Amino acid sequence: MNTTLIQQPASHPTKTRLAPTKVANETFLIHDHAGEGHAPVLVPLNAMVIRGAEPVVVDTGMMENQDWFLEDVFSIVEPEDIRWVFISHDDVDHTGNLNALMAAAPNATVIVNWFMQERMGASLGVSPMRQRWVMDGERIDVGDRTLVTVRPPVYDSPTTRGLFDPTTGVYWASDAFATPMLTPVRDVAALDPMFWDEGMLMFNQYVSPWITMAEEHKYQATVDRVQALGASFITGCHTPVIGRAHIDQAIAATRRSNTAVVPPQPDQAVLEQIQLTLAG
Ligand SMILES: [Fe+2]
Ligand SMILES: [Fe+2]
């Protein structure tokens, strides 16, 4: 499960494929990324599987990666054994394969919330009979463990809840602790520390521009809440695994993200360069 690169199928001829990473006991990160071969940096696009008594898939990746996503998930858990599909929020990089997964996993219930299904509208192709609505700060009994929803400090949808597993200490942070990568890596230990630090500051402000407007003590209290979990590992859609040795740096960068000066996002001039390249 933690092997090196796998042979690429014809559907993704230029994309590196990372097999799932075992993060902790019965907990696996499903890898994907965007930008390889055509952007200056790559953006991780992960999901996760907790293979407990009642297996849980955590977020569902991008639809364009559906074949690899489903292969990776089903290499860890049989479709009919999946009991829960936890969706952290209603963005396409978290819901891309939700309908396909629910169609393939007849015994699964999707964990969303009222606002998520409102915002997704008809794009959520799952009957209310197969839904459960869970808000921030609630507990989810999955047989051999009780998961806890904890909203991260940085998020880009009002529906967002992270997911903490007290039995392994793994915290799924949804869009928080995001970083670019220069090449696909499994663990932030493989990133240059300065690059990682600046990457988190930049992505945190891109994801949550409002953190620069929030009162300092109120923003820091949201970081306190996640730090108080005492997580052993932080995982998320847009970060390689953050192990125990790197959690303090990740928390510290998040604390500084509301006051940091970060590079501007690519603008129209960048688009025109892309258009010139495509036209050329
Ligand atoms: Fe998002
Ligand atoms: Fe995301």
Side-chain angles (χ1 to χ4, degrees), residues 134-212:
V134 173
M135 308 287 280
D136 180 33
E138 294 191 26
R139 296 176 182 278
I140 308 168
D141 182 346
V142 295
D144 58 350
R145 66 198 74 199
T146 301
L147 307 174
V148 185
T149 55
V150 179
R151 191 168 70 185
V154 169
Y155 59 94
D156 63 4
S157 166
T159 61
T160 302
R161 299 91 76 253
L163 192 66
F164 182 60
D165 182 346
T167 67
T168 58
V170 175
Y171 175 59
W172 175 259
S174 189
D175 281 346
F177 304 103
T179 181
M181 318 180 280
L182 294 177
T183 58
V185 298
R186 297 178 181 280
D187 193 297
V188 295
L191 301 175
D192 174 81
M194 187 78 79
F195 175 88
W196 179 42
D197 207 67
E198 292 176 355
M200 281 190 286
L201 299 179
M202 179 176 69
F203 274 13
N204 282 346
Q205 276 198 23
Y206 287 2
V207 167
S208 294
W210 49 263
I211 62 177
T212 63

Side-chain angles (χ1 to χ4, degrees), residues 8 14 31 58 61 63 102 104 130 133 150 181 213 217 248:
Q8 297 154 351
T14 61
H31 294 273
V58 182
M63 187 183 289
M102 292 300 288
R130 298 185 68 195
W133 293 354
V150 179
M181 318 180 280
M213 299 173 258
H217 72 282
D248 284 352

Side-chain angles (χ1 to χ4, degrees), residues 5 7 49 68 95 122 124 128 156 164 190 199 218 232 250 268:
L5 307 184
Q7 190 82 32
V49 175
W68 284 6
T95 61
L124 176 58
D156 63 4
F164 182 60
K218 290 182 177 176
S232 302
Q268 174 65 21

Side-chain angles (χ1 to χ4, degrees), residues 85-87 98 110-114 116-117 120 124 131-135 161:
V85 178
F86 175 86
I87 300 297
L98 171 56
V110 65
I111 300 175
V112 287
N113 55 31
W114 167 79
M116 214 181 292
Q117 57 87 37
M120 290 182 72
L124 176 58
Q131 295 181 23
R132 179 171 164 187
W133 293 354
V134 173
M135 308 287 280
R161 299 91 76 253

Side-chain angles (χ1 to χ4, degrees), residues 88-94 155-157 160 174-175 207 237-238:
S88 70
H89 68 294
D90 51 294
D91 278 347
V92 292
D93 48 333
H94 303 253
Y155 59 94
D156 63 4
S157 166
T160 302
S174 189
D175 281 346
V207 167
C237 187
H238 310 299

